[in-house]
Amino acid sequence: MKLLRFGDTGAEKPGLMDDTGQIRDLSGQIDDITGDTLSPASLERLRGIDPASLPAVEGAPRIGPCVGSVGKVIAIGLNYADHAAEANMALPEEPIVFFKATSSISGPNDPVEIPRGSSKTDWEIELGVVIGTRAKYVSEADALSHVAGYCIFNDVSERDFQLHRSGQWVKGKSHDTFAPMGPWLVTADAVADPQNLAMSLSVNGQTMQDGSTRTMHFSVATVIAHLSQFMTLNPGDVIATGTPPGVGMGQKPQVYLREGDEMVLSIEGLGEQRQTCIAARD
């Protein structure tokens, strides 16, 4: 099942993408797609609805972030063996954890802002994991049972802010529009193996990242179990699980985003994102 949110920023409605690619309006069934509506019981009820019985959404509305009212965005650094090699950094013994401000969340096709003073705005395609049930001190064996679904996540990063402005990585990770999510949330039952998904990102038509979740250092299950030892994962929380090689910082010479650049991201079975870079707004 593919769940999405459509409409103007801040006024998105819940929707479902049917098998023909038609958006169906779920607002008569649920208020929004949030942690409150991602429980196993809620998802099972939605699966029981005949999509043809739902109103068709006409035209081509804006697609918003696939989850609303996100409590926290947790990201994992250096989680792909080939990306760590690209960065000339050793693989960590435990997951590297950082946060992105929830105000950085944007729609999958919304413009990405280049921050004021930026010289090194970079891209990172990632598998996003959305929590469906509360997870605290869970085992690796049980971890995936807490997942509502998966989505594409672009962990846009300003490398100079991230690495050279003191403090934690959050400075370089949290500008407005630095967390495009979607286009839809694919429920966990429709993803046979989250550790075997092809993923790619291009900039201005040139493929920059071409990888697979197979090369993750810490699996999705390992990451969830690990995080749950330090914090409670609540329904609607989002985990960005790391990126394969091909980021701008890893190019020789390094390449970074500029106004007018277009990124296109895809993950097998999870759809496509398309973003144009613009100057930061007030």
Side-chain angles (χ1 to χ4, degrees), residues 54-74:
L54 299 169
V57 177
E58 302 300 330
R62 169 187 173 268
I63 304 300
C66 56
V67 181
S69 302
V70 173
K72 51 185 176 287
V73 178
I74 313 157

PDB file of all heavy atoms in Angstrom, residues 54-74:
ATOM      1  N   LEU A  54     -12.954   5.200  -3.123  1.00  0.00           N
ATOM      2  CA  LEU A  54     -12.487   6.497  -2.634  1.00  0.00           C
ATOM      3  C   LEU A  54     -12.527   7.526  -3.757  1.00  0.00           C
ATOM      4  O   LEU A  54     -12.306   7.192  -4.923  1.00  0.00           O
ATOM      5  CB  LEU A  54     -11.055   6.377  -2.104  1.00  0.00           C
ATOM      6  CG  LEU A  54     -10.840   5.418  -0.938  1.00  0.00           C
ATOM      7  CD1 LEU A  54      -9.349   5.206  -0.692  1.00  0.00           C
ATOM      8  CD2 LEU A  54     -11.523   5.932   0.320  1.00  0.00           C
ATOM      9  N   PRO A  55     -12.759   8.811  -3.429  1.00  0.00           N
ATOM     10  CA  PRO A  55     -12.777   9.836  -4.473  1.00  0.00           C
ATOM     11  C   PRO A  55     -11.431   9.941  -5.179  1.00  0.00           C
ATOM     12  O   PRO A  55     -10.376   9.924  -4.539  1.00  0.00           O
ATOM     13  CB  PRO A  55     -13.096  11.121  -3.698  1.00  0.00           C
ATOM     14  CG  PRO A  55     -13.705  10.670  -2.408  1.00  0.00           C
ATOM     15  CD  PRO A  55     -13.074   9.354  -2.087  1.00  0.00           C
ATOM     16  N   ALA A  56     -11.463  10.031  -6.503  1.00  0.00           N
ATOM     17  CA  ALA A  56     -10.242  10.254  -7.270  1.00  0.00           C
ATOM     18  C   ALA A  56      -9.831  11.719  -7.145  1.00  0.00           C
ATOM     19  O   ALA A  56     -10.683  12.621  -7.150  1.00  0.00           O
ATOM     20  CB  ALA A  56     -10.462   9.888  -8.729  1.00  0.00           C
ATOM     21  N   VAL A  57      -8.538  11.957  -7.010  1.00  0.00           N
ATOM     22  CA  VAL A  57      -8.009  13.320  -6.928  1.00  0.00           C
ATOM     23  C   VAL A  57      -7.657  13.767  -8.343  1.00  0.00           C
ATOM     24  O   VAL A  57      -6.815  13.157  -9.010  1.00  0.00           O
ATOM     25  CB  VAL A  57      -6.772  13.369  -6.014  1.00  0.00           C
ATOM     26  CG1 VAL A  57      -6.187  14.776  -5.997  1.00  0.00           C
ATOM     27  CG2 VAL A  57      -7.137  12.909  -4.606  1.00  0.00           C
ATOM     28  N   GLU A  58      -8.301  14.803  -8.799  1.00  0.00           N
ATOM     29  CA  GLU A  58      -8.108  15.269 -10.174  1.00  0.00           C
ATOM     30  C   GLU A  58      -6.862  16.141 -10.295  1.00  0.00           C
ATOM     31  O   GLU A  58      -6.401  16.756  -9.339  1.00  0.00           O
ATOM     32  CB  GLU A  58      -9.338  16.059 -10.634  1.00  0.00           C
ATOM     33  CG  GLU A  58     -10.644  15.278 -10.572  1.00  0.00           C
ATOM     34  CD  GLU A  58     -10.631  14.033 -11.433  1.00  0.00           C
ATOM     35  OE1 GLU A  58      -9.924  14.038 -12.473  1.00  0.00           O
ATOM     36  OE2 GLU A  58     -11.307  13.043 -11.074  1.00  0.00           O
ATOM     37  N   GLY A  59      -6.340  16.198 -11.524  1.00  0.00           N
ATOM     38  CA  GLY A  59      -5.193  17.056 -11.801  1.00  0.00           C
ATOM     39  C   GLY A  59      -3.897  16.494 -11.263  1.00  0.00           C
ATOM     40  O   GLY A  59      -3.750  15.286 -11.065  1.00  0.00           O
ATOM     41  N   ALA A  60      -2.949  17.390 -11.016  1.00  0.00           N
ATOM     42  CA  ALA A  60      -1.616  17.005 -10.538  1.00  0.00           C
ATOM     43  C   ALA A  60      -1.272  17.848  -9.314  1.00  0.00           C
ATOM     44  O   ALA A  60      -0.507  18.816  -9.393  1.00  0.00           O
ATOM     45  CB  ALA A  60      -0.574  17.197 -11.631  1.00  0.00           C
ATOM     46  N   PRO A  61      -1.854  17.518  -8.160  1.00  0.00           N
ATOM     47  CA  PRO A  61      -1.610  18.326  -6.968  1.00  0.00           C
ATOM     48  C   PRO A  61      -0.167  18.191  -6.480  1.00  0.00           C
ATOM     49  O   PRO A  61       0.525  17.218  -6.810  1.00  0.00           O
ATOM     50  CB  PRO A  61      -2.579  17.730  -5.942  1.00  0.00           C
ATOM     51  CG  PRO A  61      -2.719  16.298  -6.368  1.00  0.00           C
ATOM     52  CD  PRO A  61      -2.697  16.337  -7.873  1.00  0.00           C
ATOM     53  N   ARG A  62       0.266  19.174  -5.716  1.00  0.00           N
ATOM     54  CA  ARG A  62       1.559  19.053  -5.044  1.00  0.00           C
ATOM     55  C   ARG A  62       1.521  17.842  -4.124  1.00  0.00           C
ATOM     56  O   ARG A  62       0.529  17.586  -3.444  1.00  0.00           O
ATOM     57  CB  ARG A  62       1.840  20.305  -4.215  1.00  0.00           C
ATOM     58  CG  ARG A  62       3.036  20.160  -3.260  1.00  0.00           C
ATOM     59  CD  ARG A  62       3.177  21.350  -2.338  1.00  0.00           C
ATOM     60  NE  ARG A  62       4.215  21.110  -1.337  1.00  0.00           N
ATOM     61  CZ  ARG A  62       3.991  20.586  -0.145  1.00  0.00           C
ATOM     62  NH1 ARG A  62       2.745  20.243   0.210  1.00  0.00           N
ATOM     63  NH2 ARG A  62       4.974  20.395   0.709  1.00  0.00           N
ATOM     64  N   ILE A  63       2.634  17.103  -4.080  1.00  0.00           N
ATOM     65  CA  ILE A  63       2.781  15.992  -3.158  1.00  0.00           C
ATOM     66  C   ILE A  63       3.608  16.467  -1.971  1.00  0.00           C
ATOM     67  O   ILE A  63       4.707  16.999  -2.143  1.00  0.00           O
ATOM     68  CB  ILE A  63       3.465  14.785  -3.830  1.00  0.00           C
ATOM     69  CG1 ILE A  63       2.692  14.363  -5.077  1.00  0.00           C
ATOM     70  CG2 ILE A  63       3.581  13.627  -2.852  1.00  0.00           C
ATOM     71  CD1 ILE A  63       1.267  13.951  -4.837  1.00  0.00           C
ATOM     72  N   GLY A  64       3.067  16.300  -0.784  1.00  0.00           N
ATOM     73  CA  GLY A  64       3.760  16.747   0.413  1.00  0.00           C
ATOM     74  C   GLY A  64       4.618  15.646   1.007  1.00  0.00           C
ATOM     75  O   GLY A  64       4.704  14.529   0.476  1.00  0.00           O
ATOM     76  N   PRO A  65       5.302  15.928   2.128  1.00  0.00           N
ATOM     77  CA  PRO A  65       6.019  14.866   2.834  1.00  0.00           C
ATOM     78  C   PRO A  65       5.047  13.739   3.153  1.00  0.00           C
ATOM     79  O   PRO A  65       3.892  13.996   3.497  1.00  0.00           O
ATOM     80  CB  PRO A  65       6.518  15.549   4.114  1.00  0.00           C
ATOM     81  CG  PRO A  65       6.284  16.996   3.941  1.00  0.00           C
ATOM     82  CD  PRO A  65       5.299  17.197   2.864  1.00  0.00           C
ATOM     83  N   CYS A  66       5.494  12.500   3.042  1.00  0.00           N
ATOM     84  CA  CYS A  66       4.555  11.377   3.156  1.00  0.00           C
ATOM     85  C   CYS A  66       4.078  11.125   4.580  1.00  0.00           C
ATOM     86  O   CYS A  66       3.127  10.357   4.780  1.00  0.00           O
ATOM     87  CB  CYS A  66       5.169  10.107   2.564  1.00  0.00           C
ATOM     88  SG  CYS A  66       6.757   9.619   3.268  1.00  0.00           S
ATOM     89  N   VAL A  67       4.694  11.758   5.567  1.00  0.00           N
ATOM     90  CA  VAL A  67       4.248  11.654   6.962  1.00  0.00           C
ATOM     91  C   VAL A  67       4.172  13.054   7.544  1.00  0.00           C
ATOM     92  O   VAL A  67       5.084  13.869   7.335  1.00  0.00           O
ATOM     93  CB  VAL A  67       5.206  10.783   7.804  1.00  0.00           C
ATOM     94  CG1 VAL A  67       4.706  10.679   9.247  1.00  0.00           C
ATOM     95  CG2 VAL A  67       5.336   9.393   7.204  1.00  0.00           C
ATOM     96  N   GLY A  68       3.108  13.347   8.254  1.00  0.00           N
ATOM     97  CA  GLY A  68       2.956  14.636   8.907  1.00  0.00           C
ATOM     98  C   GLY A  68       3.189  14.535  10.407  1.00  0.00           C
ATOM     99  O   GLY A  68       3.176  13.447  10.979  1.00  0.00           O
ATOM    100  N   SER A  69       3.391  15.680  11.042  1.00  0.00           N
ATOM    101  CA  SER A  69       3.564  15.770  12.505  1.00  0.00           C
ATOM    102  C   SER A  69       4.659  14.827  13.003  1.00  0.00           C
ATOM    103  O   SER A  69       4.485  14.122  14.001  1.00  0.00           O
ATOM    104  CB  SER A  69       2.238  15.465  13.223  1.00  0.00           C
ATOM    105  OG  SER A  69       1.221  16.348  12.813  1.00  0.00           O
ATOM    106  N   VAL A  70       5.786  14.819  12.295  1.00  0.00           N
ATOM    107  CA  VAL A  70       6.907  13.952  12.675  1.00  0.00           C
ATOM    108  C   VAL A  70       7.502  14.432  14.002  1.00  0.00           C
ATOM    109  O   VAL A  70       7.805  15.610  14.171  1.00  0.00           O
ATOM    110  CB  VAL A  70       7.982  13.955  11.571  1.00  0.00           C
ATOM    111  CG1 VAL A  70       9.225  13.189  12.016  1.00  0.00           C
ATOM    112  CG2 VAL A  70       7.414  13.366  10.284  1.00  0.00           C
ATOM    113  N   GLY A  71       7.671  13.493  14.935  1.00  0.00           N
ATOM    114  CA  GLY A  71       8.222  13.846  16.240  1.00  0.00           C
ATOM    115  C   GLY A  71       9.711  14.088  16.202  1.00  0.00           C
ATOM    116  O   GLY A  71      10.216  15.045  16.795  1.00  0.00           O
ATOM    117  N   LYS A  72      10.448  13.210  15.515  1.00  0.00           N
ATOM    118  CA  LYS A  72      11.894  13.400  15.382  1.00  0.00           C
ATOM    119  C   LYS A  72      12.398  12.726  14.126  1.00  0.00           C
ATOM    120  O   LYS A  72      11.827  11.742  13.655  1.00  0.00           O
ATOM    121  CB  LYS A  72      12.648  12.891  16.610  1.00  0.00           C
ATOM    122  CG  LYS A  72      12.346  11.487  17.092  1.00  0.00           C
ATOM    123  CD  LYS A  72      13.108  11.211  18.394  1.00  0.00           C
ATOM    124  CE  LYS A  72      12.789   9.857  19.001  1.00  0.00           C
ATOM    125  NZ  LYS A  72      11.433   9.814  19.624  1.00  0.00           N
ATOM    126  N   VAL A  73      13.464  13.311  13.583  1.00  0.00           N
ATOM    127  CA  VAL A  73      14.161  12.748  12.434  1.00  0.00           C
ATOM    128  C   VAL A  73      15.559  12.372  12.910  1.00  0.00           C
ATOM    129  O   VAL A  73      16.352  13.230  13.289  1.00  0.00           O
ATOM    130  CB  VAL A  73      14.253  13.739  11.264  1.00  0.00           C
ATOM    131  CG1 VAL A  73      15.036  13.114  10.108  1.00  0.00           C
ATOM    132  CG2 VAL A  73      12.863  14.173  10.802  1.00  0.00           C
ATOM    133  N   ILE A  74      15.834  11.079  12.896  1.00  0.00           N
ATOM    134  CA  ILE A  74      17.115  10.551  13.365  1.00  0.00           C
ATOM    135  C   ILE A  74      17.865  10.040  12.142  1.00  0.00           C
ATOM    136  O   ILE A  74      17.292   9.323  11.312  1.00  0.00           O
ATOM    137  CB  ILE A  74      16.912   9.390  14.353  1.00  0.00           C
ATOM    138  CG1 ILE A  74      15.860   9.748  15.403  1.00  0.00           C
ATOM    139  CG2 ILE A  74      18.222   8.990  15.013  1.00  0.00           C
ATOM    140  CD1 ILE A  74      15.205   8.550  16.042  1.00  0.00           C
TER     141      ILE A  74
END
